[in-house]
């Protein structure tokens, strides 16, 4: 469970707008996706705190008549837990102490940008951990509530004890010992529930638990109720929590109502797959948890072999559902026969099986997987009068001391199985063993750089097109162009994963040109009139021949330049302002326009238009995410109104739900909507023929 910060919502309380903007640009140039707001006084601060959610506050000791102490007091009064970094002119111990006492998390000299960047990263990491902990605590409380309901409904007698005293019990427990309510039982010692003859045995057990509360203990004794009647019972003591408090859980199964054998049978049935007679996925995950524990304690490595029958849907279409079930049963029987010893084997999906194999060497797991593959290949069962030629693809992953958790291991094994099935021209019948170096190499800059160069040399980038819905003209077909970098495993890297590497090695401009030329060629081949919104990186603007090249590319693609909009992020437009000015002047001659993306992330976004005549703005996605808040919605509406009033077309992206659509329909000044709720990016420009 993770808390992801796509855009940092930054509040800057400063006494200088120019210095604040420089600080904002420094953050962006350091790669932090930021949406900032500047407050120059107390009224601005209160309005900002009430109208939005903020991840971080950078605060001067005094700004516009407001002090750091007043700022922290306002946040406390409004219930805003915003991590704060104080930016001082001179750093000393007294100033640090005063800032920390006021509630600031850290302090830095306002001129030391490197230290500020480090502190920003540190506070954001702390925020992420705090949010994740809150989410986990909420999930824990929810689970405890569900467990409490199950406990109250249980036919077993269950109670919770702290320091030998009862704090809660279910109705079965109360009835067993003759109490009318849990309140009557509260504070009663567990010793009162056991006959005097068994007190010494109970004391010995409790002393043992005091030494190690993590153990589970059983005590066969005579229970005694409030009327003095005794009965045979087994007390099971185990560690637990109740209402967030560590305690001991007691489960009592009276001999008169012993259902343990039946319960064991029911548990066994719940873990079995009825088609194959194997255990199911839930049972295997329990075994995987135990294997992970052994790996941590004893260093015992295990392998997960994840097997999928290839082209199973085709076989099912031949022999029917009953025949397919019969085939799966025969596969399960063959796997059981091929495995030596008590190795955990389970059916984990429709045509998927997995087994857990203790190994001392990775090659042993590979050999076992290859042996199982051959078993399936030579099986050729006769089903419904047909001979099925079955094959299987097997992925192998490992449970080791550094494995994160059992689910991560299973996911890795599944991923390896998918890779195995893509072999042999998508026919499978292959084994793929996970290599730990894959995890390092797959995301390394070196690997990404090689992929970029290969894609440039072989024209193998993949273009994706996402339409922008014009709210007033259905005949307007405008598509934003995205570029993906295909990988050997069949997956794609998105621009945020490879463009920084490309920029570092001087290849960003080449990618932008490749995208521009190929997107124009694709659009020119369409029957209808198509316009394109093409993203450029700021690094491309530094290439003085970019605009002349675009002119040549327009002619080569036989495309209308007036149907081209080039889009810069607000951060790049500010960082490369002079180059952007020259570029805009040059492409205007070609009929092309300029759009600004991630707009309004800066302190004074409309100041940019004093230098760049942008025809379109695409607002930062965080505005769409905050539409449910009345104050944020009003602020967004004001920004849209201002942009529209200046004659610029307005795009609102990241529309992910019907609720967001309903709100956006009510805002005036929006020209285009875009998002996965309307249509996800795809490899083709899909045009409604009825338009």
């Amino acid at each position: 469970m993770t808390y992801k910060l796509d855009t940092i919502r930054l509040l800057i309380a400063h006494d200088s707008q120019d210095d604040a903007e420089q600080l904002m640009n420094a953050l962006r140039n350091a790669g932090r996706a930021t949406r900032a707001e500047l407050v120059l006084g107390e009224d601005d601060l209160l309005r900002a705190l009430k109208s939005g959610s903020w991840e971080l506050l950078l605060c001067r000791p005094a700004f516009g008549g407001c002090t750091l102490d007043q700022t922290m007091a306002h946040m406390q009064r409004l219930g805003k837990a915003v991590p704060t970094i104080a930016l001082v002119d001179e750093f000393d111990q007294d100033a640090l102490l005063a800032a920390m006492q006021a509630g600031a998390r850290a302090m830095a000299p306002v001129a030391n940008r490197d230290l500020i960047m480090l502190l920003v990263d540190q506070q954001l990491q702390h925020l992420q951990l705090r949010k994740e902990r809150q989410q986990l605590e909420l999930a824990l409380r929810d689970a405890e509530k569900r467990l409490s309901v199950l406990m109250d409904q249980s036919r077993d007698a269950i109670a919770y004890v702290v320091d030998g005293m009862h704090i809660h019990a279910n109705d079965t427990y109360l009835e067993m010992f003759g109490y009318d309510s849990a309140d009557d039982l509260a504070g009663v010692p567990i010793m009162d529930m056991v006959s005097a003859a068994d007190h010494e045995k109970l004391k010995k057990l409790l002393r043992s638990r005091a030494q190690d509360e993590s153990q589970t203990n059983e005590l066969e004794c005579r229970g005694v109720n409030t009327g003095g009647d005794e009965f045979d019972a087994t007390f099971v003591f185990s560690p637990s929590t109740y209402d967030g408090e560590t305690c001991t859980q007691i489960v009592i199964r009276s001999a008169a109502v012993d259902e343990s054998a039946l319960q064991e049978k029911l548990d066994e049935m719940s873990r079995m797959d009825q088609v194959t007679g194997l255990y199911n996925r839930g049972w295997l995950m329990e075994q995987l948890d135990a294997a992970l524990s052994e790996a941590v304690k004893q260093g015992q490595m295990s392998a997960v072999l994840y097997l999928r029958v290839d082209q199973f849907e085709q076989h099912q279409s031949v022999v029917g559902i009953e025949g397919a079930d019969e085939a799966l049963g025969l596969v399960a029987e063959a796997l059981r026969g091929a495995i030596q010893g008590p190795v955990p084997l389970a059916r984990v999906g429709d045509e998927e099986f997995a087994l857990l194999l203790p190994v001392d060497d990775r090659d042993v797991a590979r050999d076992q997987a290859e042996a199982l593959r051959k078993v399936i290949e030579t099986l050729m069962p006769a089903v419904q009068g047909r001979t099925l030629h079955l094959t299987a693809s097997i992925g192998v992953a490992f449970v080791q001391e550094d494995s994160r958790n059992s689910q991560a291991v299973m996911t890795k094994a599944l991923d390896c199985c998918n890779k195995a099935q893509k072999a042999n021209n998508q026919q499978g019948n292959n084994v793929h063993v996970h290599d730990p170096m894959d995890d390092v190499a797959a995301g390394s800059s070196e690997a990404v750089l090689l992929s970029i160069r290969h894609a440039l040399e072989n024209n193998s980038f993949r273009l994706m097109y996402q339409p922008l819905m014009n709210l007033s003209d259905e005949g307007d077909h405008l598509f934003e162009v995205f570029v993906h970098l295909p990988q050997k495993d069949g997956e794609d890297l998105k621009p945020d994963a490879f463009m920084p590497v490309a920029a570092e090695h001087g290849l960003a401009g080449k990618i932008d040109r490749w995208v521009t030329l190929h997107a124009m060629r694709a659009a020119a081949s369409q029957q209808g009139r198509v316009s394109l919104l093409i993203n450029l990186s700021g690094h491309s603007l530094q290439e003085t021949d970019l605009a002349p090249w675009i002119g040549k590319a327009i002619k080569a693609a036989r495309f209308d330049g007036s149907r081209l909009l080039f889009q810069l992020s607000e951060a790049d437009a500010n960082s490369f302002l002079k180059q952007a000015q020259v570029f805009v002047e040059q492409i205007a001659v070609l009929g092309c326009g300029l759009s600004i993306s991630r707009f309004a992330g800066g302190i004074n976004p409309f100041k940019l238009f004093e230098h760049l005549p942008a025809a379109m703005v695409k607002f930062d996605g965080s505005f769409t995410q905050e539409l449910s808040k009345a104050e944020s919605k009003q602020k967004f509406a004001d920004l849209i109104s201002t942009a529209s009033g200046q004659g610029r077309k307005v795009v609102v992206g990241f529309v992910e739900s019907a609720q967001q659509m309903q709100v956006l329909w009510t805002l005036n000044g929006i020209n285009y909507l875009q998002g996965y709720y309307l249509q996800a990016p795809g490899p083709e420009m899909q045009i409604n023929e009825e338009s």
Side-chain angles (χ1 to χ4, degrees):
M1 184 176 295
T2 59
Y3 174 82
K4 188 177 181 181
L5 287 172
D6 292 320
T7 301
I8 304 169
R9 295 171 179 85
L10 174 66
L11 191 61
I12 303 178
H14 215 289
D15 47 7
S16 168
Q17 180 165 330
D18 290 339
D19 290 347
E21 288 181 351
Q22 292 178 17
L23 180 59
M24 174 69 192
N25 290 333
L27 283 166
R28 285 181 164 174
N29 292 338
R32 283 77 170 177
T34 309
R35 187 184 123 197
E37 183 171 326
L38 173 64
V39 294
L40 297 171
E42 189 170 15
D43 291 341
D44 290 344
L45 173 69
L46 290 172
R47 185 165 50 252
L49 290 175
K50 292 177 181 178
S51 64
S53 299
W54 308 97
E55 273 85 38
L56 188 63
L57 168 64
L58 301 181
C59 186
R60 293 282 282 153
F63 58 98
C66 188
T67 66
L68 175 63
D69 287 338
Q70 291 172 321
T71 298
M72 303 309 296
H74 283 312
M75 286 202 294
Q76 185 177 13
R77 178 173 58 84
L78 296 172
K80 300 289 185 178
V82 185
T84 301
I85 300 175
L87 304 180
V88 297
D89 293 316
E90 297 293 335
F91 186 96
D92 59 61
Q93 292 184 1
D94 292 338
L96 176 60
L97 178 61
M100 299 288 280
Q101 287 176 337
R105 298 284 183 86
M107 188 177 78
V110 69
N112 192 333
R113 297 290 166 76
D114 291 338
L115 178 58
I116 292 173
M117 298 304 152
L118 290 173
L119 291 176
V120 166
D121 287 342
Q122 182 188 66
Q123 292 305 316
L124 291 176
Q125 289 172 4
H126 290 170
L127 175 66
Q128 182 167 341
L129 291 172
R130 179 163 60 85
K131 294 290 187 181
E132 289 180 1
R133 178 178 176 179
Q134 289 173 341
Q135 292 173 347
L136 290 170
E137 287 177 345
L138 288 172
L140 176 60
R141 284 197 290 271
D142 185 56
E144 287 178 340
K145 289 178 182 177
R146 292 197 299 270
L147 287 173
S148 179
V149 172
L150 291 173
M151 185 196 79
D152 290 339
Q153 296 175 347
S154 173
R155 297 180 65 182
D156 284 332
I158 304 174
Y160 292 97
V161 176
V162 173
D163 295 332
M165 302 292 182
H166 290 82
I167 60 173
H168 186 71
N170 67 353
D171 290 342
T172 306
Y173 191 97
L174 296 172
E175 182 180 350
M176 178 179 289
F177 289 99
Y179 287 89
D180 295 329
S181 69
D183 291 337
D184 295 337
L185 180 65
V188 174
I190 183 62
M191 199 68 67
D192 289 0
M193 307 304 181
V194 177
S195 70
D198 293 315
H199 279 184
E200 196 57 40
K201 285 198 299 183
L202 177 57
K203 290 178 182 179
K204 183 178 179 181
L205 183 147
L206 293 176
R207 284 195 294 269
S208 174
R209 290 193 57 78
Q211 299 296 320
D212 181 9
E213 293 184 349
S214 66
Q215 60 184 315
T216 297
N217 309 95
E218 288 193 7
L219 177 68
E220 293 185 0
C221 61
R222 297 281 292 174
V224 57
N225 61 24
T226 55
D229 298 325
E230 296 185 1
F231 53 90
D232 291 331
T234 300
F235 287 59
V236 180
F237 296 78
S238 59
S240 185
T241 60
Y242 185 79
D243 252 355
E245 183 179 4
T246 301
C247 63
T248 298
Q249 182 192 67
I250 299 176
V251 179
I252 302 175
R253 298 184 178 92
S254 171
V257 291
D258 185 10
E259 299 177 353
S260 58
L262 176 60
Q263 188 61 47
E264 287 180 8
K265 184 64 176 178
L266 291 173
D267 289 343
E268 183 78 8
M269 291 176 62
S270 69
R271 297 177 176 185
M272 298 298 294
D273 173 58
Q274 301 304 311
V275 173
T276 62
L278 299 178
Y279 286 105
N280 59 22
R281 182 187 182 90
W283 176 85
L284 185 69
M285 294 305 294
E286 292 178 3
Q287 310 309 305
L288 196 48
D289 286 336
L292 183 57
S293 178
E294 283 299 305
V296 172
K297 293 178 181 179
Q298 307 295 335
Q300 173 62 59
M301 183 171 68
S302 297
V304 175
L305 278 61
Y306 198 106
L307 181 149
R308 180 185 296 133
V309 180
D310 298 319
Q311 286 83 44
F312 188 73
E313 290 184 359
Q314 296 180 15
H315 296 305
Q316 182 172 290
S317 66
V318 172
V319 298
I321 294 177
E322 291 186 5
D325 286 348
E326 182 182 346
L328 289 173
L330 293 172
V331 169
E333 184 178 340
L335 292 175
R336 268 194 297 252
I339 298 171
Q340 298 179 357
V343 174
L345 171 65
R347 182 188 179 193
V348 295
D350 291 339
E351 65 271 21
E352 297 171 344
F353 302 83
L355 62 92
L356 185 61
L357 182 70
V359 294
D360 296 322
D361 190 301
R362 301 172 71 88
D363 290 339
V364 173
R366 181 188 295 276
D367 293 343
Q368 181 68 64
E370 185 61 31
L372 293 179
R373 185 196 64 76
K374 291 179 180 178
V375 166
I376 303 303
E377 186 180 29
T378 58
L379 184 58
M380 290 190 293
V383 178
Q384 302 289 317
R386 301 287 188 96
T387 299
L388 299 182
H389 298 273
L390 301 179
T391 61
S393 298
I394 305 175
V396 183
F398 296 91
V399 182
Q400 303 175 129
E401 293 179 49
D402 60 348
S403 296
R404 191 174 63 188
N405 54 51
S406 55
Q407 187 59 56
V409 175
M410 184 64 83
T411 299
K412 197 168 289 183
L414 172 60
D415 180 59
C416 290
C417 180
N418 291 336
K419 291 177 180 177
Q421 199 163 45
K422 291 176 182 177
N424 300 322
N425 197 25
Q426 303 289 327
Q427 296 301 305
N429 194 21
N430 192 48
V431 171
H432 184 94
V433 179
H434 177 260
D435 184 346
M437 292 304 296
D438 290 345
D439 296 334
V440 178
S444 66
S445 297
E446 294 79 4
V448 173
L449 180 60
L450 288 174
S451 296
I452 291 171
R453 287 178 171 158
H454 179 270
L456 286 170
E457 292 171 1
N458 296 276
N459 289 325
S460 57
F461 284 106
R462 182 175 289 118
L463 292 183
M464 305 292 281
Y465 306 93
Q466 186 175 33
L468 282 72
M469 185 179 76
N470 192 316
L471 299 185
S472 59
D473 183 1
E474 293 184 357
D476 180 13
H477 304 303
L478 174 61
F479 292 86
E480 183 169 1
V481 184
F482 301 96
V483 59
H484 288 188
L485 179 60
Q487 300 294 285
K488 290 181 179 180
D489 60 5
E491 301 296 326
D492 284 359
L493 288 183
K494 293 184 179 180
D496 57 356
F498 67 85
M499 284 302 285
V501 177
E504 182 182 351
H505 293 86
L507 299 175
K510 291 185 178 181
I511 296 174
D512 285 347
R513 296 189 187 206
W514 190 95
V515 171
T516 301
L517 179 59
H518 286 77
M520 284 194 296
R521 287 176 175 172
S525 67
Q526 297 293 318
Q527 295 294 327
R529 181 179 173 85
V530 171
S531 299
L532 297 175
L533 180 61
I534 298 178
N535 292 283
L536 292 180
S537 68
H539 298 278
S540 289
L541 297 179
Q542 300 180 75
E543 300 175 0
T544 56
D545 65 335
L546 176 61
W549 178 89
I550 290 174
K552 296 176 182 178
I554 288 174
K555 291 181 181 179
R558 297 181 180 179
F559 196 69
D560 183 356
S562 66
R563 291 190 277 142
L564 272 180
L565 275 169
F566 289 97
Q567 185 164 256
L568 299 172
S569 71
E570 184 182 273
D572 279 348
N574 280 302
S575 299
F576 304 97
L577 185 57
K578 291 184 178 179
Q579 296 93 327
Q581 286 176 310
V582 174
F583 175 72
V584 172
E585 291 174 359
Q586 292 176 330
I587 64 171
V589 178
L590 305 173
C592 308
L594 176 71
S595 175
I596 302 296
S597 67
R598 305 200 76 151
F599 182 67
I603 296 169
N604 186 7
F606 293 100
K607 186 177 180 181
L608 180 64
F609 301 137
E610 297 175 7
H611 310 283
L612 289 178
M616 178 184 287
V617 294
K618 180 180 177 182
F619 279 92
D620 189 90
S622 59
F623 288 103
T624 311
Q625 297 170 2
E626 296 176 355
L627 283 172
S628 59
K629 302 175 183 177
E631 299 87 352
S632 300
K633 173 187 170 184
Q634 185 57 51
K635 183 187 296 184
F636 192 21
D638 293 341
L639 288 169
I640 291 171
S641 178
T642 301
S644 178
Q646 293 182 357
R648 306 182 202 287
K649 292 184 178 179
V650 172
V651 181
V652 177
F654 299 91
V655 181
E656 310 292 345
S657 68
Q659 292 79 6
Q660 291 173 340
M661 277 286 293
Q662 291 172 0
V663 174
L664 291 170
W665 275 112
T666 66
L667 303 183
N668 295 322
I670 300 175
N671 300 98
Y672 295 94
L673 293 178
Q674 180 187 20
Y676 276 70
Y677 179 75
L678 299 167
Q679 187 173 316
E684 304 292 338
M685 300 181 203
Q686 298 182 12
I687 299 175
N688 186 351
E689 297 179 357
E690 296 178 359
S691 300

